[in-house]
Amino acid sequence: KNEVEQSPQNLTAQEGEFITINCSYSVGISALHWLQQHPGGGIVSLFMLSSGKKKHGRLIATINIQEKHSSLHITASHPRDSAVYICAVSSNTGNQFYFGTGTSLTVIP
Amino acid sequence: DAGITQSPRHKVTETGTPVTLRCHQTENHRYMYWYRQDPGHGLRLIHYSYGVKDTDKGEVSDGYSVSRSKTEDFLLTLESATSSQTSVYFCAISESRATEAFFGQGTRLTVV
């Protein structure tokens, strides 16, 4: 049983395309996190949100608490956006995070 | 960048030997976590700490122990390494369970 499910698992896009990655979760949360992991690299936090929407440059994250669903959008995608994007939630009981298995994004020039 | 350092970054060890990985932070964050990342599984929690000498098990804690004698250091020990413990290990820190988490660069451990 996975507390966090992401889709799609793999995504290939042409440069400039609008990209959406989805995340659904089944536990009560205090916050949802979107993380980015480049090949061979570490993990970087992109967003933390508990309601509504956040925007940072070409990245937009939204969350619907009632539906237990979040989306990460990338506008005008670029090859440097190629990475694995991971959705994680902070449980509102206990002291841990639950992680999705990640979405591997490849943006082709 | 958050001040979090993992050491070593790469290690190859033999089956049956003990191994200790270190996570060091300069942020004075209360929570520290050890995860392993394997293909098809995402990140899985091994152990975490919510304060000095306060630790608890995660979902994949068998074969691992941890210690936190100082706020800044969280050690992960494999008492007797097995090939199934070949993985990439990530340390993370956060001020609380509801705040942003910061990750170390990872340690690639190979048990032969």
Side-chain angles (χ1 to χ4, degrees):
Chain A
K1 173 177 85 72
N2 291 327
E3 289 83 358
V4 179
E5 298 279 357
Q6 285 184 240
S7 64
Q9 285 190 319
N10 297 284
L11 181 57
T12 300
Q14 291 288 331
E15 183 173 356
E17 284 186 7
F18 180 85
I19 289 164
T20 296
I21 300 171
N22 295 299
C23 174
S24 297
Y25 55 92
S26 58
V27 296
I29 69 169
S30 53
L32 183 140
H33 309 257
W34 281 103
L35 311 170
Q36 182 191 56
Q37 185 175 29
H38 281 280
I43 298 169
V44 176
S45 176
L46 298 175
F47 295 104
M48 186 187 77
L49 64 167
S50 54
S51 65
K53 173 176 155 178
K54 286 191 176 180
K55 184 175 188 289
H56 181 69
R58 296 180 293 105
L59 301 178
I60 303 167
T62 63
I63 187 169
N64 184 317
I65 297 294
Q66 287 72 33
E67 294 186 3
K68 294 190 173 182
H69 181 269
S70 174
S71 293
L72 176 68
H73 305 286
I74 304 175
T75 62
S77 60
H78 190 276
R80 65 175 175 267
D81 297 326
S82 298
V84 175
Y85 293 84
I86 302 169
C87 175
V89 299
S90 310
S91 170
N92 59 7
T93 59
N95 293 311
Q96 62 176 291
F97 298 84
Y98 296 101
F99 294 85
T101 55
T103 295
S104 179
L105 171 66
T106 302
V107 181
I108 300 170
Chain B
D1 290 343
I4 175 169
T5 306
Q6 290 184 231
S7 59
R9 293 291 313 280
H10 302 271
K11 186 169 182 67
V12 179
T13 192
E14 292 186 350
T15 299
T17 61
V19 177
T20 295
L21 308 182
R22 180 181 184 234
C23 178
H24 178 78
Q25 61 145 330
T26 58
E27 305 296 320
N28 202 36
H29 283 352
R30 179 182 175 193
Y31 288 84
M32 298 185 76
Y33 308 83
W34 276 109
Y35 296 95
R36 59 179 291 174
Q37 186 179 42
D38 304 289
H41 288 280
L43 286 152
R44 292 182 292 173
L45 181 66
I46 304 171
H47 282 278
Y48 68 95
S49 170
Y50 47 97
V52 174
K53 293 186 170 40
D54 292 323
T55 64
D56 206 350
K57 295 179 180 179
E59 63 179 307
V60 291
S61 59
D62 287 349
Y64 302 94
S65 62
V66 291
S67 66
R68 192 169 179 198
S69 58
K70 299 184 290 183
T71 298
E72 58 266 34
D73 288 325
F74 193 33
L75 303 180
L76 176 71
T77 298
L78 289 65
E79 302 291 347
S80 177
T82 67
S83 58
S84 65
Q85 293 176 311
T86 292
S87 186
V88 180
Y89 291 85
F90 283 95
C91 175
I93 62 173
S94 67
E95 285 186 287
S96 75
R97 69 184 187 210
T99 56
E100 188 177 8
F102 300 96
F103 288 80
Q105 288 297 303
T107 295
R108 184 171 296 276
L109 176 68
T110 303
V111 183
V112 298

Short mmCIF file of all heavy atoms in Angstrom, two decimals, chain A residues 62-104:
data_model
loop_
_atom_site.label_atom_id
_atom_site.label_comp_id
_atom_site.label_asym_id
_atom_site.label_seq_id
_atom_site.Cartn_x
_atom_site.Cartn_y
_atom_site.Cartn_z
N THR A 62 -0.19 23.13 -7.12
CA THR A 62 -1.53 23.32 -6.57
C THR A 62 -1.88 22.13 -5.68
O THR A 62 -1.35 21.03 -5.84
CB THR A 62 -2.59 23.43 -7.67
OG1 THR A 62 -2.64 22.19 -8.40
CG2 THR A 62 -2.26 24.55 -8.64
N ILE A 63 -2.78 22.37 -4.75
CA ILE A 63 -3.24 21.29 -3.90
C ILE A 63 -4.73 21.45 -3.62
O ILE A 63 -5.22 22.57 -3.45
CB ILE A 63 -2.44 21.21 -2.57
CG1 ILE A 63 -2.83 19.96 -1.77
CG2 ILE A 63 -2.64 22.48 -1.73
CD1 ILE A 63 -1.90 19.67 -0.59
N ASN A 64 -5.44 20.31 -3.64
CA ASN A 64 -6.86 20.27 -3.28
C ASN A 64 -6.98 19.34 -2.07
O ASN A 64 -6.89 18.12 -2.22
CB ASN A 64 -7.70 19.77 -4.46
CG ASN A 64 -9.19 19.81 -4.16
OD1 ASN A 64 -9.63 19.44 -3.08
ND2 ASN A 64 -9.96 20.25 -5.13
N ILE A 65 -7.14 19.92 -0.90
CA ILE A 65 -7.13 19.14 0.32
C ILE A 65 -8.32 18.19 0.38
O ILE A 65 -8.19 17.04 0.81
CB ILE A 65 -7.14 20.08 1.55
CG1 ILE A 65 -5.88 20.93 1.59
CG2 ILE A 65 -7.31 19.27 2.83
CD1 ILE A 65 -4.61 20.15 1.82
N GLN A 66 -9.48 18.64 -0.07
CA GLN A 66 -10.68 17.79 -0.02
C GLN A 66 -10.51 16.55 -0.89
O GLN A 66 -10.93 15.46 -0.50
CB GLN A 66 -11.91 18.58 -0.47
CG GLN A 66 -12.40 19.62 0.53
CD GLN A 66 -11.47 20.81 0.62
OE1 GLN A 66 -10.85 21.20 -0.37
NE2 GLN A 66 -11.39 21.41 1.79
N GLU A 67 -9.90 16.73 -2.06
CA GLU A 67 -9.72 15.60 -2.98
C GLU A 67 -8.42 14.86 -2.73
O GLU A 67 -8.14 13.86 -3.40
CB GLU A 67 -9.79 16.10 -4.42
CG GLU A 67 -11.15 16.63 -4.80
CD GLU A 67 -11.23 16.99 -6.28
OE1 GLU A 67 -10.24 16.76 -7.00
OE2 GLU A 67 -12.28 17.51 -6.68
N LYS A 68 -7.59 15.36 -1.83
CA LYS A 68 -6.28 14.74 -1.52
C LYS A 68 -5.47 14.58 -2.81
O LYS A 68 -4.98 13.49 -3.14
CB LYS A 68 -6.46 13.41 -0.80
CG LYS A 68 -7.07 13.56 0.58
CD LYS A 68 -7.02 12.27 1.39
CE LYS A 68 -7.49 12.55 2.82
NZ LYS A 68 -7.43 11.34 3.68
N HIS A 69 -5.30 15.69 -3.48
CA HIS A 69 -4.63 15.66 -4.78
C HIS A 69 -3.82 16.94 -4.97
O HIS A 69 -4.23 18.03 -4.55
CB HIS A 69 -5.67 15.55 -5.90
CG HIS A 69 -5.07 15.49 -7.26
ND1 HIS A 69 -4.85 16.62 -8.02
CD2 HIS A 69 -4.64 14.45 -8.00
CE1 HIS A 69 -4.30 16.27 -9.17
NE2 HIS A 69 -4.17 14.96 -9.18
N SER A 70 -2.66 16.77 -5.60
CA SER A 70 -1.81 17.91 -5.92
C SER A 70 -1.29 17.75 -7.33
O SER A 70 -1.15 16.63 -7.83
CB SER A 70 -0.65 18.01 -4.94
OG SER A 70 0.26 19.03 -5.31
N SER A 71 -1.01 18.87 -7.98
CA SER A 71 -0.40 18.86 -9.29
C SER A 71 0.80 19.78 -9.31
O SER A 71 0.80 20.83 -8.66
CB SER A 71 -1.39 19.30 -10.37
OG SER A 71 -2.43 18.38 -10.53
N LEU A 72 1.80 19.38 -10.08
CA LEU A 72 2.97 20.22 -10.35
C LEU A 72 2.95 20.52 -11.85
O LEU A 72 2.89 19.60 -12.67
CB LEU A 72 4.26 19.52 -9.98
CG LEU A 72 5.55 20.27 -10.32
CD1 LEU A 72 5.68 21.52 -9.44
CD2 LEU A 72 6.77 19.38 -10.13
N HIS A 73 2.94 21.81 -12.19
CA HIS A 73 2.93 22.21 -13.58
C HIS A 73 4.25 22.89 -13.93
O HIS A 73 4.79 23.65 -13.11
CB HIS A 73 1.79 23.20 -13.86
CG HIS A 73 0.44 22.72 -13.46
ND1 HIS A 73 -0.24 21.75 -14.16
CD2 HIS A 73 -0.35 23.06 -12.41
CE1 HIS A 73 -1.41 21.53 -13.57
NE2 HIS A 73 -1.50 22.31 -12.51
N ILE A 74 4.74 22.62 -15.12
CA ILE A 74 5.91 23.31 -15.64
C ILE A 74 5.50 23.97 -16.95
O ILE A 74 5.07 23.28 -17.89
CB ILE A 74 7.09 22.35 -15.88
CG1 ILE A 74 7.44 21.58 -14.61
CG2 ILE A 74 8.32 23.13 -16.39
CD1 ILE A 74 8.52 20.52 -14.80
N THR A 75 5.59 25.28 -17.01
CA THR A 75 5.26 25.99 -18.24
C THR A 75 6.53 26.19 -19.06
O THR A 75 7.63 26.28 -18.51
CB THR A 75 4.63 27.35 -17.93
OG1 THR A 75 5.60 28.14 -17.22
CG2 THR A 75 3.38 27.21 -17.07
N ALA A 76 6.37 26.18 -20.37
CA ALA A 76 7.50 26.40 -21.30
C ALA A 76 8.69 25.53 -20.90
O ALA A 76 9.78 26.03 -20.60
CB ALA A 76 7.90 27.88 -21.32
N SER A 77 8.49 24.22 -20.90
CA SER A 77 9.52 23.30 -20.42
C SER A 77 10.82 23.44 -21.20
O SER A 77 10.85 23.81 -22.39
CB SER A 77 9.00 21.86 -20.51
OG SER A 77 8.68 21.54 -21.85
N HIS A 78 11.90 23.12 -20.50
CA HIS A 78 13.25 23.27 -21.04
C HIS A 78 14.04 22.00 -20.72
O HIS A 78 13.76 21.34 -19.71
CB HIS A 78 13.91 24.49 -20.39
CG HIS A 78 15.19 24.89 -21.01
ND1 HIS A 78 16.40 24.31 -20.68
CD2 HIS A 78 15.47 25.83 -21.95
CE1 HIS A 78 17.35 24.85 -21.40
NE2 HIS A 78 16.82 25.79 -22.17
N PRO A 79 15.02 21.64 -21.55
CA PRO A 79 15.81 20.42 -21.25
C PRO A 79 16.40 20.39 -19.85
O PRO A 79 16.55 19.32 -19.26
CB PRO A 79 16.90 20.45 -22.32
CG PRO A 79 16.23 21.10 -23.49
CD PRO A 79 15.34 22.16 -22.88
N ARG A 80 16.71 21.56 -19.27
CA ARG A 80 17.27 21.55 -17.91
C ARG A 80 16.24 21.16 -16.85
O ARG A 80 16.60 20.95 -15.69
CB ARG A 80 17.89 22.90 -17.57
CG ARG A 80 16.90 24.04 -17.50
CD ARG A 80 17.58 25.33 -17.03
NE ARG A 80 16.66 26.47 -17.08
CZ ARG A 80 16.55 27.28 -18.13
NH1 ARG A 80 17.29 27.09 -19.21
NH2 ARG A 80 15.69 28.28 -18.10
N ASP A 81 14.97 21.09 -17.26
CA ASP A 81 13.93 20.62 -16.33
C ASP A 81 13.95 19.09 -16.22
O ASP A 81 13.23 18.53 -15.38
CB ASP A 81 12.55 21.06 -16.80
CG ASP A 81 12.38 22.56 -16.80
OD1 ASP A 81 12.96 23.23 -15.93
OD2 ASP A 81 11.67 23.07 -17.70
N SER A 82 14.72 18.43 -17.07
CA SER A 82 14.78 16.97 -17.03
C SER A 82 15.31 16.53 -15.67
O SER A 82 16.41 16.90 -15.26
CB SER A 82 15.69 16.44 -18.15
OG SER A 82 15.17 16.78 -19.42
N ALA A 83 14.51 15.72 -14.98
CA ALA A 83 14.83 15.31 -13.61
C ALA A 83 13.74 14.35 -13.15
O ALA A 83 12.77 14.11 -13.87
CB ALA A 83 14.90 16.51 -12.67
N VAL A 84 13.92 13.84 -11.96
CA VAL A 84 12.84 13.08 -11.31
C VAL A 84 12.15 14.01 -10.33
O VAL A 84 12.81 14.67 -9.52
CB VAL A 84 13.38 11.84 -10.58
CG1 VAL A 84 12.26 11.14 -9.81
CG2 VAL A 84 14.03 10.87 -11.57
N TYR A 85 10.84 14.07 -10.41
CA TYR A 85 10.04 14.91 -9.52
C TYR A 85 9.31 14.01 -8.54
O TYR A 85 8.62 13.06 -8.93
CB TYR A 85 9.06 15.77 -10.33
CG TYR A 85 9.81 16.79 -11.15
CD1 TYR A 85 10.32 16.46 -12.40
CD2 TYR A 85 10.05 18.08 -10.66
CE1 TYR A 85 11.04 17.38 -13.14
CE2 TYR A 85 10.77 19.00 -11.40
CZ TYR A 85 11.26 18.63 -12.64
OH TYR A 85 11.99 19.55 -13.37
N ILE A 86 9.48 14.32 -7.27
CA ILE A 86 8.97 13.46 -6.20
C ILE A 86 7.95 14.23 -5.38
O ILE A 86 8.21 15.37 -4.96
CB ILE A 86 10.11 12.98 -5.29
CG1 ILE A 86 11.17 12.22 -6.10
CG2 ILE A 86 9.58 12.13 -4.14
CD1 ILE A 86 12.45 11.94 -5.32
N CYS A 87 6.83 13.61 -5.15
CA CYS A 87 5.80 14.16 -4.27
C CYS A 87 5.95 13.50 -2.89
O CYS A 87 6.15 12.28 -2.80
CB CYS A 87 4.42 13.86 -4.85
SG CYS A 87 3.03 14.35 -3.82
N ALA A 88 5.86 14.29 -1.85
CA ALA A 88 5.96 13.75 -0.49
C ALA A 88 4.95 14.47 0.39
O ALA A 88 4.61 15.64 0.13
CB ALA A 88 7.36 13.94 0.07
N VAL A 89 4.47 13.78 1.42
CA VAL A 89 3.54 14.42 2.36
C VAL A 89 4.06 14.27 3.77
O VAL A 89 4.68 13.25 4.12
CB VAL A 89 2.12 13.83 2.25
CG1 VAL A 89 1.55 14.06 0.86
CG2 VAL A 89 2.09 12.36 2.62
N SER A 90 3.84 15.29 4.57
CA SER A 90 4.12 15.23 6.00
C SER A 90 2.85 14.75 6.68
O SER A 90 1.82 15.39 6.58
CB SER A 90 4.48 16.62 6.54
OG SER A 90 5.46 17.24 5.77
N SER A 91 2.94 13.62 7.33
CA SER A 91 1.78 13.09 8.03
C SER A 91 1.40 14.00 9.20
O SER A 91 2.26 14.59 9.85
CB SER A 91 2.11 11.69 8.57
OG SER A 91 1.10 11.24 9.44
N ASN A 92 0.09 14.13 9.44
CA ASN A 92 -0.33 14.93 10.58
C ASN A 92 -0.44 14.09 11.86
O ASN A 92 -0.87 14.59 12.90
CB ASN A 92 -1.65 15.67 10.31
CG ASN A 92 -2.78 14.71 9.98
OD1 ASN A 92 -2.64 13.49 10.09
ND2 ASN A 92 -3.91 15.26 9.58
N THR A 93 -0.04 12.85 11.76
CA THR A 93 0.14 12.00 12.94
C THR A 93 1.51 11.35 12.80
O THR A 93 1.92 10.95 11.72
CB THR A 93 -0.92 10.89 13.02
OG1 THR A 93 -0.83 10.08 11.83
CG2 THR A 93 -2.32 11.47 13.12
N GLY A 94 2.24 11.26 13.85
CA GLY A 94 3.59 10.74 13.73
C GLY A 94 4.56 11.82 13.27
O GLY A 94 4.21 12.99 13.17
N ASN A 95 5.75 11.44 12.96
CA ASN A 95 6.81 12.40 12.69
C ASN A 95 7.52 12.13 11.37
O ASN A 95 8.72 12.35 11.26
CB ASN A 95 7.84 12.35 13.81
CG ASN A 95 7.27 12.85 15.12
OD1 ASN A 95 6.65 13.90 15.16
ND2 ASN A 95 7.46 12.10 16.17
N GLN A 96 6.82 11.64 10.38
CA GLN A 96 7.54 11.28 9.17
C GLN A 96 6.87 11.77 7.91
O GLN A 96 5.76 12.29 7.92
CB GLN A 96 7.72 9.77 9.11
CG GLN A 96 6.41 8.99 9.05
CD GLN A 96 6.71 7.51 8.88
OE1 GLN A 96 7.18 7.08 7.85
NE2 GLN A 96 6.45 6.74 9.91
N PHE A 97 7.64 11.63 6.82
CA PHE A 97 7.17 11.93 5.49
C PHE A 97 6.87 10.62 4.76
O PHE A 97 7.50 9.60 5.01
CB PHE A 97 8.25 12.66 4.69
CG PHE A 97 8.64 13.99 5.26
CD1 PHE A 97 9.59 14.08 6.27
CD2 PHE A 97 8.08 15.16 4.78
CE1 PHE A 97 9.96 15.31 6.79
CE2 PHE A 97 8.45 16.39 5.29
CZ PHE A 97 9.39 16.46 6.29
N TYR A 98 5.93 10.68 3.84
CA TYR A 98 5.68 9.58 2.91
C TYR A 98 5.98 10.08 1.51
O TYR A 98 5.62 11.20 1.15
CB TYR A 98 4.23 9.10 2.99
CG TYR A 98 3.85 8.51 4.32
CD1 TYR A 98 3.14 9.27 5.26
CD2 TYR A 98 4.20 7.21 4.65
CE1 TYR A 98 2.79 8.73 6.48
CE2 TYR A 98 3.84 6.67 5.89
CZ TYR A 98 3.14 7.43 6.79
OH TYR A 98 2.80 6.90 8.00
N PHE A 99 6.63 9.23 0.71
CA PHE A 99 7.10 9.65 -0.60
C PHE A 99 6.43 8.86 -1.71
O PHE A 99 6.22 7.66 -1.58
CB PHE A 99 8.62 9.44 -0.71
CG PHE A 99 9.41 10.32 0.20
CD1 PHE A 99 9.65 9.94 1.50
CD2 PHE A 99 9.92 11.53 -0.25
CE1 PHE A 99 10.38 10.75 2.35
CE2 PHE A 99 10.66 12.34 0.59
CZ PHE A 99 10.89 11.95 1.89
N GLY A 100 6.16 9.53 -2.82
CA GLY A 100 5.82 8.84 -4.04
C GLY A 100 7.09 8.28 -4.67
O GLY A 100 8.20 8.59 -4.26
N THR A 101 6.92 7.44 -5.69
CA THR A 101 8.07 6.81 -6.33
C THR A 101 8.71 7.70 -7.39
O THR A 101 9.73 7.34 -7.95
CB THR A 101 7.69 5.46 -6.97
OG1 THR A 101 6.59 5.66 -7.85
CG2 THR A 101 7.31 4.45 -5.90
N GLY A 102 8.11 8.85 -7.63
CA GLY A 102 8.74 9.80 -8.53
C GLY A 102 8.25 9.72 -9.96
O GLY A 102 7.77 8.68 -10.41
N THR A 103 8.35 10.83 -10.64
CA THR A 103 8.04 10.94 -12.08
C THR A 103 9.31 11.35 -12.79
O THR A 103 9.88 12.41 -12.49
CB THR A 103 6.94 11.97 -12.34
OG1 THR A 103 5.71 11.52 -11.75
CG2 THR A 103 6.74 12.18 -13.84
N SER A 104 9.77 10.52 -13.71
CA SER A 104 10.98 10.83 -14.46
C SER A 104 10.62 11.63 -15.70
O SER A 104 9.92 11.14 -16.58
CB SER A 104 11.69 9.53 -14.85
OG SER A 104 12.85 9.83 -15.61
#
